[in-house]
Amino acid sequence: MNTDLSRFHQLFFEEASEHLSEMERLLLALDIAAPDVQDLDAIFRAAHSIKGSSGTFGFNDMTDVTHVLETLLDRVRKREQALSDDMVDALLQAGDILRAQLGAHRDGVEVDPQEAEPVLKRLRSLTEAQALLLADTPGTAISTASIPLPEFRTFHIRYTPGPDPATPLGVLIEELERFGVVSIEQEEAEHCILHLSGAVDMQEIDDIFSFIATAEQYAIEALPAKSTAVEAQTDEDDPGFGFFEPIASTEPPAPTTEDEGFGFFVDPASLQTAQKPEDKDPGYGFFTDKLPVPTPAQDPAASESHPLEMPRRRASDREVDNSIRVGIDKVDQLINLVGELVITHAMLAQTISTLDPVLHEKLFNGMSQLERNSRDLQESVMSIRMLPIGSVFNRFPRLVRDLSGKIGKQVELKLVGEGTELDKGLIERLADPLTHLVRNSLDHGIEAPEIRLDAGKAAKGLLTLQASHQSGNVVIEVIDDGAGLNRERILSKARQRNIPVSEDAPDQEIWPLIFAPGFSTAEQITDISGRGVGMDVVKRNIEDMGGRVEISSQQGIGTRITIRLPLTLAILDGMSIGVGEQTFILPLNMIVESLQPLPAQISSISGSGRVVHVRSEYLPLVALHEVLNIQPQTRDPCNGIVVILEVEGGKVGLFVDALLGQHQVVIKSLENNYRKVRGVSGATIMGDGRVALILDAAALVQLSRS
Amino acid sequence: MSNTQETAQSMADAAQYLTFTLGREEYAVDILKVQEIRGYDAVTAIANTPAFIKGVINLRGVIVPIVDLRIKFNVGNATYNEFTVVIILNVLQRVVGIVVDGVSDVIALPPEQTKAAPEFGAALDMKFIKGLGTIDERMIILVDIEKLMSSRDMELMDEALA
C-alpha cells in the first residue's frame, strides 16, 4: 500500500481499541439465553469496523481474526446458531488477541501469528460444528464465509478533494486500480468523477475514501449491474448511513458543500441527525474526535437491516467532548491555594472577632459571605480530583466471569453505586485490594453449585460490589452469599500460628484474625488465592490510604467486607493532641479510645517500661514526650491522657498531655522541601497558620522500642 | 568613552548577590536563588533533628524547613526576636529558609572583582565557597548555596538525593 496512510494509523489505533472495549462490554452484558438482537448487531458492527479498517491499513493478522470472529457472530445474529457460554468465551479471547495485535502494531513490533491460532481454531470449530449440524437441514444456507465474492460491477465515484487534498489524486487512482479498471470522466483540481469497473465490494472502495476524505467530499454509487439482485441488495445494505446516493436518485450531490465540507468541527448532535438515511449530506467529520470511522456493515450476507443503535454511543461521546485534560499538579496547586485562602480567612475572622459587631456590621457581613464563598470554592476544587468508582468496578465483570469459569462456579456479579466519586489517587490504589477481595470471595466464599443446591441456595452465587457515601466517608462493600467464614477453622489456625485468642471471643475479634500475615484457612492452595499473602496486604493497603476494613460474616449465609475510606487522600480525619507547647495530629482511624488512667491502671515492668491495664489487657505505654524529646506539661500518665492506638495488629497506649479536638486536616508533604522524619507521616496547617506534624503511630512505637 | 563602555559591559556581566552577615563575616548568595526575605515566626520544631534545624514553617501553604546557619557554623548569638531574618531560598527545586544575623545589601560583582578563595579559616568549609569578592574594601565570601544546602552535613535531604 503506497498511499500515505501512516498518518491515519493513530486514529485507527484509537478507534479500534474503542471498538474492542465496546465489544467486550457488550459481550459481557449479553444474556446467553435470549441475546438482544441490537446488542449482537452492535458487536458485529464493532468487529466489522475493525476488520474493514485493519484491512485498509494492511494489518492482515487482525483482519483474519476479525473475519473468523465475524463469521461466527453473523451466524448467531441471524439465528442460525444459538449463542453459548463457550462462544462468548471464545469471542472474548479473540478480543484479547486483537488487542494484543493492535498493541503490537502500535509499538511497531512483529506479531507472532501462532498466538492467534488456538483462538481461531476454537472459533472455527464452534462455527463449523454448528454448520455441520445444519447441513442436514435442507433449505438452510450454509455460508461460513462472511464475504462472498463480490460481483463485477461498475461504480460511479464523485470526489471533491477540496483545495488541499491529503492524498494526491494520482496516488488515489493507483490505489483504486488495485480493484479494477479506473477511467476518469472529469478531472479538475477540485472536482472529479471516476469510473471504476471491477469485482469489488463497495465497502472496500468506501474504506479507502473514508480515510482520505470526509463523507460529503465523495459519493460512491454502484451502477446497475447485470443482476437486479445486486441493486436491491445495495439499496438495502446501507440503510442507516446515508453515505451513498440511493440508486434511484438522479440529483447530484450539492458541490456547494465544499466550504463547510471538511466538517472538522461538526458536533455530535448534528451528526446524530445527519446520519439518518434521508439525509444526503451527512456531514461526517472524519477528524471529529473519538467518532468511529464510517465502515458500515456492508456485508451482503447481512442483508437483514436492523435499526442502528447510534444514539447511546453519541451520548457518551458528548461527555468526552465536554471534558478537558489537566495535569494533576495544576489541580493540586489550586487545592493548595484554596486551602491557603481558607486559613487566611480563619486568621482574619479571629482578628475581626475582637471588634464590635454593631459598629462594623458591614465588615461582619462581608466576612460571612467570604466564608461561604471560600467553602464552596474549596468543595468545587476538591471535586475536580474526584472520579466515579465505576472505573475500578468495570474491571470486575470480566474477572469474575473468567475466574468463575475456571473454578466451575456460577457467579452473578452485581455492581451498585458505580457513580460514587472518590479521589483519583485513591481509585488507583483501590484496584489491587478490591481484586484480592473479589478473588477471595469467588474462591473461598461462594460454594460450588452442587453444594449450594444442597444447602438450599440458588446454584448461582451472588457477589455484590457496592459503593456509597456515608458521612464524609466512602464505603465500599464486597458482599457474597457464600459459605461465610469458618470460626472453628480460623481459631485452630490461630492456635497453630500461636496467635493468642480466647476460645469464646466474640466474632468481631475472630474475623480480623484473617488479616494476620500468612494466615490462610483455605484447605488447599489454588492458583487464585489461598497462599495467605492476600488479606494482610489488603488491610495494609487500605490503612495506608487512611481507611479501615471491617468484616461481618455468618456461616452458611455469606460474608460482607466493608472498606471505609476518606473522601480524598489530601484530607485526613485527625485528632489533635498537645504535648508541651506543641500540637500534633493523630490519624483518627488508628485511635481505639482514649482515657485518663487511674494510678492503679499503670504498672511498671522492670527494665521494659510501663504498661497500662485497660479492659483485661495490658498494653505497653509509650510516652510521646520521651519519644520526641519534648518538655511535657506532666510526666504522670494519671494527669494526662492515654490514647489507645491500634498499630500493626497490636494495641499500645500513647501518653500525651491533652486531647485538643477533632479536625479534618489537609495533608502536606514534609519531603517536598525537607526529608522524611521518623515518626512523622506528614504535616498540616492549623487554623492559626502554624504547622502541625501528623504522627505515624507505627513508626513512633518502633522509635520508642529502639 | 571606551572606558565607560567597558565598565557598562562588565556591569552587565556582573552577577547580583544578596549579602548577609553571620557573626562578623559577610557572605553573599546568588540573588536568583533567593525567593524572599521574611521574619522569623511560628516555627514548628521537629523532634530528633540536629539543633540547627529549627523546624518547619507554613509559607503560603508550603511546608518549608528552617535552618539556623548561626548554630550550624557556630557564629553569632542564636537569639530570636522581631529582627531575626530568614532568607527563603529556592535551590534544587526545593524551598529552604536560612536564619542569618542580618541581610545587608544587594550587590553587583563583576567577574574581575571576584577571586578564588585561598585556604583560610572561615566558618564555612572551603568546598562551599565559590570565591571572594571585594566591595568598598570589604571582603565578601561568595557561598555556593546549592552545594551547601544539598551537602550531607546539612541533613536537609534524604540520602538518596544528597
Side-chain angles (χ1 to χ4, degrees):
Chain A
M1 181 151 295
N2 49 8
T3 328
D4 180 25
L5 288 179
S6 59
R7 64 200 205 99
F8 296 118
H9 279 189
Q10 195 50 43
L11 204 65
F12 163 71
F13 292 143
E14 274 168 30
E15 276 169 8
S17 70
E18 257 174 52
H19 284 308
L20 280 172
S21 309
E22 177 77 359
M23 205 169 92
E24 183 174 308
R25 189 182 68 74
L26 288 165
L27 274 172
L28 288 168
L30 270 187
D31 180 3
I32 307 288
D36 185 8
V37 181
Q38 296 207 345
D39 283 346
L40 285 175
D41 278 346
I43 299 170
F44 182 85
R45 265 202 308 277
H48 190 83
S49 301
I50 299 169
K51 182 171 109 176
S53 34
S54 60
T56 313
F57 287 109
F59 299 143
N60 293 328
D61 49 347
M62 291 184 70
T63 321
D64 290 347
V65 177
T66 33
H67 176 74
V68 180
L69 188 147
E70 204 182 64
T71 313
L72 179 61
L73 271 174
D74 192 37
R75 296 184 57 80
V76 173
R77 71 173 185 147
K78 287 199 279 171
R79 304 279 160 98
E80 285 170 22
Q81 199 164 342
L83 188 69
S84 71
D85 238 349
D86 208 20
M87 253 181 228
V88 176
D89 267 345
L91 291 173
L92 283 172
Q93 263 180 23
D96 291 345
I97 292 286
L98 282 172
R99 206 178 284 276
Q101 288 171 337
L102 190 66
H105 287 306
R106 187 190 318 231
D107 304 338
V109 193
E110 273 302 304
V111 199
D112 181 10
Q114 294 307 313
E115 275 175 36
E117 223 25 71
V119 179
L120 286 179
K121 218 174 257 170
R122 190 169 168 199
L123 285 172
R124 278 197 201 102
S125 73
L126 279 166
T127 320
E128 276 155 19
Q130 206 71 20
L132 282 175
L133 274 177
L134 287 164
D136 298 332
T137 327
T140 314
I142 305 157
S143 82
T144 47
S146 69
I147 302 187
L149 262 184
E151 283 172 87
F152 192 91
R153 284 191 270 172
T154 304
F155 295 91
H156 183 77
I157 303 162
R158 230 187 306 260
Y159 177 44
T160 316
D164 185 22
T167 314
L169 193 62
V171 177
L172 177 71
I173 290 168
E174 240 172 75
E175 194 58 39
L176 290 174
E177 274 171 346
R178 286 195 310 146
F179 299 125
V181 183
V182 179
S183 59
I184 301 165
E185 188 184 305
Q186 183 189 353
E187 187 182 354
E188 284 165 24
E190 297 196 354
H191 190 74
C192 57
I193 296 169
L194 306 170
H195 285 284
L196 169 67
S197 315
V200 60
D201 197 45
M202 189 184 313
Q203 175 67 50
E204 293 179 63
I205 308 173
D206 186 64
D207 281 346
I208 289 195
F209 275 96
S210 67
F211 279 105
I212 58 167
T214 62
E216 69 271 27
Q217 283 181 322
Y218 69 95
I220 309 164
E221 197 179 305
L223 295 180
K226 292 141 217 152
S227 87
T228 48
V230 174
E231 196 180 328
Q233 178 202 316
T234 326
D235 212 10
E236 222 177 337
D237 262 358
D238 49 359
F241 299 91
F243 295 126
F244 314 106
E245 293 279 306
I247 292 159
S249 162
T250 49
E251 200 185 317
T256 49
T257 53
E258 238 173 68
D259 282 349
E260 71 263 307
F262 298 96
F264 286 177
F265 305 107
V266 183
D267 67 335
S270 81
L271 275 175
Q272 206 173 317
T273 49
Q275 294 239 333
K276 284 181 193 148
E278 304 83 30
D279 203 323
K280 285 180 196 126
D281 181 10
Y284 197 87
F286 189 75
F287 291 95
T288 307
D289 202 18
K290 303 266 184 196
L291 287 174
V293 182
T295 36
Q298 270 273 264
D299 193 345
S303 49
E304 279 177 59
S305 67
H306 297 291
L308 280 176
E309 219 195 336
M310 293 308 227
R312 198 168 60 189
R313 234 200 121 98
R314 289 285 175 269
S316 65
D317 284 342
R318 202 170 311 153
E319 268 166 37
V320 170
D321 286 344
N322 275 344
S323 65
I324 51 166
R325 293 178 71 95
V326 180
I328 202 88
D329 49 334
K330 280 191 184 172
V331 176
D332 287 347
Q333 167 80 355
L334 208 55
I335 290 176
N336 247 344
L337 289 174
V338 173
E340 277 312 292
L341 183 69
V342 171
I343 290 166
T344 313
H345 169 265
M347 287 194 277
L348 272 179
Q350 214 162 12
T351 317
I352 286 174
S353 64
T354 57
L355 300 175
D356 183 354
V358 181
L359 290 173
H360 303 89
E361 197 192 333
K362 272 192 178 161
L363 186 60
F364 275 80
N365 286 347
M367 276 305 283
S368 63
Q369 200 161 348
L370 179 65
E371 180 177 359
R372 250 198 325 275
N373 289 346
S374 39
R375 280 198 195 289
D376 286 354
L377 183 63
Q378 192 176 30
E379 260 173 45
S380 322
V381 169
M382 285 293 192
S383 73
I384 300 178
R385 276 186 65 105
M386 299 292 190
L387 287 179
I389 201 167
S391 54
V392 182
F393 278 6
N394 282 345
R395 70 176 62 192
F396 290 113
R398 181 75 194 267
L399 181 94
V400 168
R401 200 198 138 78
D402 287 358
L403 274 186
S404 56
K406 207 168 177 181
I407 55 179
K409 289 179 183 175
Q410 294 175 15
V411 184
E412 186 190 335
L413 178 70
K414 203 167 128 196
L415 302 178
V416 182
E418 294 130 290
T420 309
E421 290 190 326
L422 75 162
D423 193 271
K424 179 182 156 63
L426 287 175
I427 290 226
E428 282 157 7
R429 289 163 63 178
L430 197 58
D432 277 352
L434 266 186
T435 311
H436 263 299
L437 292 177
V438 168
R439 279 165 169 265
N440 254 328
S441 278
L442 279 177
D443 205 23
H444 307 313
I446 290 169
E447 315 92 323
E450 51 273 22
I451 300 174
R452 289 183 62 89
L453 287 172
D454 283 349
K457 298 195 230 181
K460 204 170 202 182
L462 181 68
L463 180 66
T464 310
L465 279 177
Q466 189 172 323
S468 59
H469 282 297
Q470 276 175 26
S471 62
N473 283 317
V474 176
V475 178
I476 300 150
E477 289 170 302
V478 182
I479 310 160
D480 67 58
D481 66 344
L485 293 174
N486 188 323
R487 191 185 155 98
E488 278 68 47
R489 220 187 291 160
I490 294 173
L491 276 173
S492 76
K493 184 84 186 178
R495 274 192 296 273
Q496 246 177 57
R497 297 184 50 84
N498 288 327
I499 300 172
V501 61
S502 118
E503 198 65 48
D504 48 345
D507 282 353
Q508 266 58 42
E509 287 178 26
I510 303 286
W511 304 147
L513 288 175
I514 64 167
F515 291 124
F519 201 99
S520 171
T521 59
E523 274 146 1
Q524 79 194 96
I525 289 169
T526 66
D527 63 340
I528 296 168
S529 56
R531 286 188 202 87
V533 283
M535 289 307 258
D536 60 318
V537 177
V538 168
K539 186 169 175 178
R540 206 170 49 234
N541 284 353
I542 301 292
E543 280 176 356
D544 284 351
M545 288 187 253
R548 275 176 300 163
V549 195
E550 289 156 21
I551 306 179
S552 66
S553 176
Q554 204 159 356
Q555 202 150 3
I557 296 191
T559 307
R560 172 193 296 256
I561 296 176
T562 309
I563 299 172
R564 270 172 219 283
L565 287 175
L567 271 177
T568 84
L569 273 182
I571 287 189
L572 174 103
D573 266 321
M575 176 74 81
S576 58
I577 53 165
V579 181
E581 300 285 290
Q582 288 201 47
T583 305
F584 295 96
I585 307 287
L586 274 172
L588 208 57
N589 62 348
M590 286 188 164
I591 299 179
V592 182
E593 60 179 320
S594 50
L595 55 115
Q596 187 157 35
L598 299 169
Q601 281 178 286
I602 307 289
S603 32
S604 59
I605 299 172
S606 65
S608 58
R610 288 176 290 187
V611 290
V612 55
H613 188 168
V614 185
R615 285 187 237 292
S616 76
E617 277 179 295
Y618 287 95
L619 307 175
L621 190 68
V622 176
L624 191 57
H625 65 86
E626 282 171 18
V627 180
L628 299 179
N629 275 323
I630 302 170
Q631 189 65 41
Q633 280 171 359
T634 171
R635 290 180 190 278
D636 181 1
C638 302
N639 292 332
I641 296 279
V642 172
V643 184
I644 311 293
L645 300 174
E646 186 156 359
V647 180
E648 284 170 354
K651 287 183 192 166
V652 292
L654 187 71
F655 164 40
V656 301
D657 281 354
L659 291 184
L660 300 178
Q662 198 174 319
H663 316 260
Q664 282 209 328
V665 298
V666 179
I667 302 174
K668 307 254 174 184
S669 161
L670 262 186
E671 284 138 82
N672 279 355
N673 293 317
Y674 188 47
R675 56 190 283 175
K676 199 161 171 48
V677 178
R678 276 189 84 187
V680 174
S681 63
T684 189
I685 294 160
M686 303 300 285
D688 59 1
R690 288 185 77 102
V691 178
L693 301 176
I694 302 168
L695 297 176
D696 177 350
L700 277 182
V701 173
Q702 278 173 9
L703 264 178
S704 76
R705 284 183 192 139
S706 57
Chain B
M1 183 66 195
S2 74
N3 200 10
T4 25
Q5 250 175 11
E6 236 167 62
T7 318
Q9 184 57 39
S10 71
M11 284 313 281
D13 285 346
Q16 294 217 311
Y17 292 91
L18 179 77
T19 62
F20 59 88
T21 52
L22 283 178
R24 267 187 261 158
E25 290 163 8
E26 201 165 350
Y27 292 86
V29 288
D30 183 355
I31 193 99
L32 297 177
K33 306 279 184 227
V34 178
Q35 182 179 320
E36 63 186 273
I37 298 163
R38 67 198 315 272
Y40 180 93
D41 66 341
V43 177
T44 301
I46 299 175
N48 304 320
T49 49
F52 60 85
I53 292 185
K54 295 309 295 177
V56 286
I57 59 162
N58 160 29
L59 185 74
R60 292 182 298 279
V62 180
I63 309 284
V64 176
I66 301 294
V67 182
D68 194 331
L69 287 187
R70 301 173 300 180
I71 303 176
K72 172 70 190 166
F73 300 120
N74 211 3
V75 287
N77 277 330
T79 52
Y80 303 95
N81 52 41
E82 59 265 46
F83 305 113
T84 307
V85 176
V86 179
I87 304 173
I88 306 291
L89 300 164
N90 222 318
V91 283
L92 303 166
Q93 275 115 50
R94 282 161 176 257
V95 186
V96 180
I98 54 173
V99 184
V100 295
D101 274 332
V103 171
S104 354
D105 208 352
V106 177
I107 53 163
L109 270 183
E112 62 268 19
Q113 282 186 42
T114 62
K115 303 189 173 52
E119 287 291 331
F120 73 118
L124 241 71
D125 194 312
M126 286 305 296
K127 64 182 173 209
F128 303 125
I129 295 173
K130 275 203 288 200
L132 299 176
T134 319
I135 287 274
D136 305 334
E137 308 294 304
R138 286 180 295 142
M139 182 191 78
I140 291 164
I141 305 165
L142 307 180
V143 184
D144 187 341
I145 199 73
E146 286 204 342
K147 213 182 231 176
L148 177 64
M149 286 301 149
S150 60
S151 74
R152 187 162 298 184
D153 32 325
M154 289 307 284
E155 297 187 36
L156 270 174
M157 300 176 188
D158 286 319
E159 289 294 314
L161 270 158

Coordinates of all heavy atoms in Angstrom, one line a residue, chain A residues 50 53 85 98 178 238 280 314 390 398 432 443 485 490 492 510 516 604 634 636 646 665 667 686:
Chain A
I50 N -13.5 -3.0 12.7 CA -12.1 -3.3 12.9 C -11.6 -4.0 11.7 O -10.5 -3.7 11.2 CB -11.9 -4.2 14.2 CG1 -12.4 -3.4 15.4 CG2 -10.4 -4.5 14.3 CD1 -12.4 -4.3 16.6
S53 N -11.2 -1.5 8.7 CA -10.1 -0.5 8.7 C -8.7 -1.3 8.9 O -7.7 -0.8 8.3 CB -10.3 0.5 9.9 OG -10.9 -0.1 11.0
D85 N -22.3 -20.1 26.1 CA -21.3 -19.5 27.0 C -19.9 -19.7 26.4 O -19.1 -18.8 26.5 CB -21.4 -20.3 28.3 CG -21.7 -19.3 29.5 OD1 -21.6 -18.1 29.2 OD2 -21.9 -19.8 30.6
L98 N -6.9 -9.7 19.5 CA -7.0 -8.5 18.7 C -6.3 -7.3 19.4 O -5.5 -6.5 18.8 CB -8.4 -8.1 18.4 CG -9.1 -8.9 17.3 CD1 -10.6 -8.6 17.2 CD2 -8.4 -8.7 16.0
R178 N -6.1 -1.1 -8.0 CA -5.9 -2.5 -7.4 C -7.2 -3.3 -7.6 O -7.3 -4.5 -7.7 CB -5.6 -2.4 -5.9 CG -4.2 -2.0 -5.6 CD -3.9 -2.3 -4.2 NE -5.0 -1.9 -3.3 CZ -5.4 -2.5 -2.2 NH1 -4.9 -3.6 -1.8 NH2 -6.4 -2.0 -1.5
D238 N -27.2 -0.4 2.9 CA -26.8 0.8 3.7 C -27.9 1.6 4.2 O -28.2 2.7 3.7 CB -25.8 1.6 2.9 CG -26.3 1.9 1.5 OD1 -27.5 1.5 1.2 OD2 -25.7 2.6 0.8
K280 N -28.9 13.5 2.6 CA -27.9 13.2 1.6 C -26.6 13.9 2.0 O -25.6 13.6 1.3 CB -28.4 13.8 0.3 CG -29.5 12.9 -0.3 CD -30.0 13.4 -1.6 CE -31.3 12.8 -2.0 NZ -32.3 13.8 -2.3
R314 N -23.5 8.1 20.9 CA -23.3 9.5 20.8 C -23.3 10.2 22.1 O -22.6 11.1 22.4 CB -24.4 10.1 19.9 CG -24.3 9.7 18.4 CD -23.2 10.5 17.8 NE -23.0 10.0 16.4 CZ -22.1 9.0 16.1 NH1 -21.4 8.5 17.1 NH2 -21.9 8.7 14.9
G390 N -16.7 3.6 39.4 CA -17.0 2.7 38.3 C -15.8 2.3 37.5 O -15.7 1.2 37.0
R398 N -15.4 -8.9 33.9 CA -14.5 -9.9 33.1 C -13.8 -10.8 34.1 O -13.7 -12.0 33.8 CB -13.5 -9.0 32.3 CG -12.6 -9.8 31.5 CD -13.3 -10.4 30.3 NE -12.6 -11.4 29.6 CZ -11.7 -11.2 28.6 NH1 -11.5 -10.0 28.2 NH2 -11.1 -12.2 28.0
D432 N -6.1 -2.9 43.5 CA -5.4 -4.2 43.9 C -6.1 -4.8 45.1 O -6.5 -6.0 45.1 CB -4.0 -3.9 44.3 CG -3.1 -4.0 43.1 OD1 -3.6 -4.4 42.0 OD2 -1.9 -3.6 43.2
D443 N -13.3 -17.6 45.4 CA -12.6 -18.9 45.6 C -13.1 -19.5 46.9 O -13.4 -20.7 47.0 CB -11.1 -18.6 45.7 CG -10.3 -19.8 45.3 OD1 -10.9 -20.7 44.7 OD2 -9.2 -20.0 45.8
L485 N -17.4 -17.2 56.9 CA -16.1 -17.6 57.5 C -16.3 -18.7 58.4 O -17.4 -18.8 59.1 CB -15.5 -16.4 58.2 CG -15.0 -15.2 57.3 CD1 -14.6 -14.0 58.1 CD2 -13.9 -15.6 56.4
I490 N -10.7 -20.8 61.7 CA -9.8 -19.7 62.0 C -9.2 -19.8 63.4 O -8.0 -19.5 63.5 CB -10.7 -18.4 61.9 CG1 -11.2 -18.1 60.5 CG2 -9.9 -17.2 62.4 CD1 -12.1 -17.0 60.3
S492 N -8.5 -22.6 65.0 CA -7.5 -23.6 65.1 C -6.2 -23.1 64.4 O -5.1 -23.4 64.8 CB -8.0 -24.9 64.5 OG -8.0 -24.8 63.1
I510 N -12.7 -12.4 66.2 CA -12.2 -13.6 65.5 C -11.9 -13.2 64.0 O -10.8 -13.5 63.5 CB -13.2 -14.8 65.5 CG1 -13.5 -15.1 66.9 CG2 -12.7 -15.9 64.7 CD1 -12.4 -15.9 67.7
A516 N -4.1 -11.3 59.6 CA -2.7 -11.5 60.1 C -1.9 -12.1 58.9 O -2.4 -12.8 58.1 CB -2.7 -12.5 61.2
S604 N 4.6 -0.7 86.3 CA 5.8 -0.8 85.6 C 6.4 -2.1 85.6 O 6.3 -2.9 86.6 CB 6.8 0.3 86.1 OG 7.1 0.0 87.4
T634 N 3.2 17.4 81.9 CA 3.1 16.5 83.0 C 3.8 15.2 82.7 O 3.9 14.8 81.5 CB 1.6 16.1 83.4 OG1 1.6 15.1 84.3 CG2 0.8 15.7 82.2
D636 N 3.2 12.4 84.7 CA 2.4 11.4 85.3 C 1.2 11.1 84.4 O 0.4 11.9 84.1 CB 1.9 11.9 86.7 CG 1.1 10.9 87.4 OD1 0.9 9.8 86.8 OD2 0.6 11.2 88.5
E646 N -4.3 1.5 67.7 CA -4.2 0.1 67.1 C -3.1 0.2 66.0 O -3.2 1.0 65.1 CB -5.5 -0.3 66.5 CG -5.4 -1.7 66.0 CD -6.8 -2.4 66.0 OE1 -7.8 -1.8 66.3 OE2 -6.8 -3.6 65.6
V665 N -7.9 17.5 58.5 CA -6.8 18.3 58.2 C -6.3 18.0 56.7 O -6.5 16.9 56.2 CB -5.6 18.1 59.2 CG1 -6.0 18.5 60.5 CG2 -5.2 16.7 59.1
I667 N -3.5 17.2 54.3 CA -2.1 16.6 54.4 C -1.1 17.3 53.5 O -1.4 17.5 52.3 CB -2.2 15.1 54.1 CG1 -3.2 14.4 55.0 CG2 -0.8 14.5 54.3 CD1 -3.4 13.0 54.7
M686 N -2.6 24.4 60.7 CA -3.7 24.6 61.6 C -4.4 25.9 61.3 O -3.9 26.7 60.5 CB -3.3 24.5 63.0 CG -2.5 23.2 63.4 SD -3.5 21.8 63.2 CE -4.6 21.9 64.6

